[in-house]
Amino acid sequence: MIKNLYIKDFALIDELEVEFEEGLNILTGQTGAGKSIIIGALNMILGERADTEVIRQGADKAISEATIRVGDDDELRSLLEKNEVEFNEYLILRREIRNTGSRAFINDTPVNISVLKAAGDLLVDLHGQHDHQLLLKEENHLGVIDGFGEVEPILKGYKAEYKKMTELQKELRALNKREHELEEKTELYRFQVQELEEARLDEIDLEQLESEMNLLDNAEVLDQKAGAISEMEESDDGNIIQLLNFLKLNLEDLARIEPEFENYLQEINAARVSINEAIAFAERYRNSIEFNPNRLEELRQRQSELNQLQKKYQRDIPELVGYLNEIKRELSIADNFDLEIEKLEQSIASQAEVLKEHAISLHKTRDKIGEKLVVQIQQELAKVGIPHSKLDVRVDWMLSDNGWIKVNGKTIDCTETGCDDVRMYISTNKGEEPKPLAKIASGGEISRVMLALKSILAKEQSLPVMIFDEIDTGISGEISEKVGASMRKLSEHCQIVAITHQPQIASQAHKHYKVAKAEEGERTVTRIIPLSDEEHIREIASLMSGSQITDSTLNSARELIEKNTFKN
């Protein structure tokens, strides 16, 4: 239950705090007094959209805060623990609207608006003035059936299998798309594979190729220079050998006398060895020199072809090798597409059977709930002045030529919420066949149908709080009294906060509050005032007769209150 509501600088409210009680809490007040402002502040706490226009003129921010007793709710506990919010018996939901943005808190812990809304959905069902019109739209009827707890685990299982099916279908679409794209590229890829394979890229060592070309290209120079070195001893340049021998002999003599010449003797000996080795190597190398202009031309042609390939593909040799392997894989996939598609289609067919089982289970559960709802709604409507109602909840398969499953030979369409088309039909008069709600029910009747649904779902879902903003639209007199009685009865299962203009409903309040405007200085403010028993009687009298309250209307109000509270 909502224990406390605090609102500050919200529209006409400068600062307001009110304690609500268990049971039926009724808010009344003149049109324009600010009742809808209070509902707006509650909506803000529950995570609904709010803009900066709600900030009271001259204030920095608008604040709305509710303290709610929640008891032990596993789903709510799980939500809060997931978002690192401490779970207590009492939760404080707070929302602040500033010109720079919005902030939300649960138990003083900052949370995203989505978390605040998720928590609010588990705690409070707020029925606005026009929400009963949602029943007139048949696309909302499925949500009524799915509000029953029996549906949730079955729907959860169906959604898991539906997700698997959508992933397989997505994979198949991607494979078909890729096959089409590869079909357009296959001829090109085959040509490129042939061209690159003929180039024998895996055999290429560019450094070795360039080295061999360099040797062949300079064979004459190599032969000439190596020959000149190998013939040094026989040429006029042989004097250098004689000079080294001369130096060796003299240095040996000097070293025997002066040891300091020993180092130079060693260097001359090393030079003689190195020169002799160089001459010997040049002679051997000259014999290995290859004069092969044909091989040189072949290598030049090979180099030219490789340069052309690298320029054409805008890749160097290692990258060309990688590209060749890549397109060969693509061609392999293209050649095996039929097999891959066949395997995937088999998986889809198998998953369709699994999905079908879950869809049938969900369909049967919804059908069963629809039958139960028919009985319960008719009982509830009888309590609010529609004794001869007849409700028909039709749960039909959604037919489609492109559906994923087949049931009884018919192709069925599947969506994330199932494969069912749920529609409600009603007759509010004896002897009339049920027709679509939009065609048969008046505004007052739709309000009572919605109240009946809320009464049933409140018991099913164990919601702590239900808020009704003028659900009594279109009714009056004896019917209003019956609606009030139904709301008071419903308040045995959850706390109800209701705004009404009907004395027959307000008279059945466990606690009555008056919403009123007041002028304070140069400003108009909204106040919410808990009424005493005597003030409760006067407010009921005011609802009955307007501003002219007489002893007669006070007595009538007292009698109405006593009759309704005694009856309930």
Side-chain angles (χ1 to χ4, degrees), residues 420-436:
D420 302 316
D421 181 17
V422 177
R423 300 188 183 190
M424 294 182 184
Y425 297 78
I426 192 170
S427 167
T428 55
N429 298 302
K430 190 174 183 179
E432 295 288 334
E433 286 301 311
K435 294 180 182 178

Side-chain angles (χ1 to χ4, degrees), residues 257-268:
I257 300 170
E258 175 55 71
E260 289 187 13
F261 282 98
E262 183 65 33
N263 288 337
Y264 297 103
L265 176 62
Q266 291 177 7
E267 290 180 7
I268 291 299

Side-chain angles (χ1 to χ4, degrees), residues 335-367:
D335 292 338
N336 291 281
F337 258 122
D338 290 343
L339 179 61
E340 291 296 320
I341 289 174
E342 183 180 351
K343 286 169 59 179
L344 190 53
E345 287 176 341
Q346 288 174 354
S347 296
I348 288 173
S350 176
Q351 182 60 27
E353 289 301 312
V354 175
L355 184 64
K356 175 182 173 181
E357 292 178 10
H358 284 265
I360 290 174
S361 176
L362 183 59
H363 180 85
K364 289 180 177 178
T365 302
R366 284 170 170 166
D367 197 39

Side-chain angles (χ1 to χ4, degrees), residues 311-327:
K311 184 177 180 180
K312 177 179 179 180
Y313 287 91
Q314 295 293 301
R315 291 174 171 89
D316 59 24
I317 296 300
E319 290 174 335
L320 280 174
V321 173
Y323 178 67
L324 173 60
N325 292 330
E326 178 185 336
I327 60 177

